[in-house]
Amino acid sequence: MSPVAVVVGPPGAGKTTIGTALAEALGVAFRDTDADIVETVGKSISDIFTDGGEAAFRAAEEEAVAVALREHDGVLSLGGGAVLSEKSRKLLAEHTVVFLNVGMAEGVRRTGLSTARPLLAGVNPRAKFKELLDARLPLYREIASVEVDTDTKSPDEIVSQLATVLNRGE
């Protein structure tokens, strides 16, 4: 079993929005590893970060990604930092990975610098967002089969483009 597509990208890229709509367009199920983590651990992501720190969350995330890649055959959305794990990146090399790219200004606008996103909380969330983009962009591109710039496209345009690409097997 293998996902039709694995959706990755930074906060605000639209992984859940695009992933859900893409799954619907392709007639397959949608799954989100962040939701899997919350269900498995029994705590919100913010609480996992608060109680166990980023390391505890990343360990749970790495396991959730491995399980979902084995079990799910629809569209799978990963948390923005899942690509930080070398183990997860190696597993993703065997799959069709859709990288939803978002620029800093648009990503900041979309996330609203939400305190529900633990890694963006703090004194200077814009600087933190830039730091995340700088660190993760090469990793997203390393594993991506397809890259889509989401800054100027509507979700419908992105889903249409991806459905065409995925149906052709590109």
Side-chain angles (χ1 to χ4, degrees):
M1 189 175 295
S2 182
V4 172
V6 181
V7 182
V8 301
K15 296 179 296 292
T16 302
T17 300
I18 301 302
T20 302
L22 180 60
E24 187 176 315
L26 297 174
V28 298
F30 174 75
R31 183 169 175 175
D32 185 324
T33 57
D34 280 352
D36 291 352
I37 294 164
V38 169
E39 184 178 326
T40 300
V41 177
K43 296 180 185 178
S44 71
I45 290 173
S46 292
D47 286 346
I48 296 168
F49 269 82
T50 299
D51 297 345
E54 186 174 358
F57 175 76
R58 295 295 172 210
E61 182 176 55
E62 190 174 85
E63 180 61 23
V65 169
V67 168
L69 288 172
R70 279 194 311 270
E71 294 179 351
H72 189 65
D73 61 358
V75 174
L76 177 64
S77 175
L78 306 188
V83 297
L84 297 171
S85 161
E86 185 176 347
K87 177 181 173 188
S88 294
R89 288 194 312 276
K90 284 181 181 175
L91 292 174
L92 289 166
E94 303 170 17
H95 298 276
T96 299
V97 178
V98 173
F99 166 36
L100 299 178
N101 195 355
V102 65
M104 184 174 147
E106 185 64 13
V108 167
R109 186 191 71 74
R110 289 180 189 171
T111 60
L113 301 175
S114 168
T115 55
R117 299 172 189 262
L119 289 180
L120 295 180
V123 177
N124 191 343
R126 279 181 173 74
K128 188 62 180 175
F129 194 91
K130 181 179 181 338
E131 182 183 314
L132 290 178
L133 283 181
D134 290 347
R136 297 175 182 176
L137 188 60
L139 301 175
Y140 294 133
R141 288 195 167 132
E142 171 188 320
I143 60 166
S145 310
V146 180
E147 179 176 342
V148 178
D149 181 358
T150 66
D151 281 5
T152 59
K153 294 179 183 160
S154 73
D156 287 344
E157 290 171 316
I158 295 166
V159 168
S160 177
Q161 176 185 347
L162 288 173
T164 299
V165 168
L166 294 172
N167 283 327
R168 280 191 294 201
E170 293 178 7

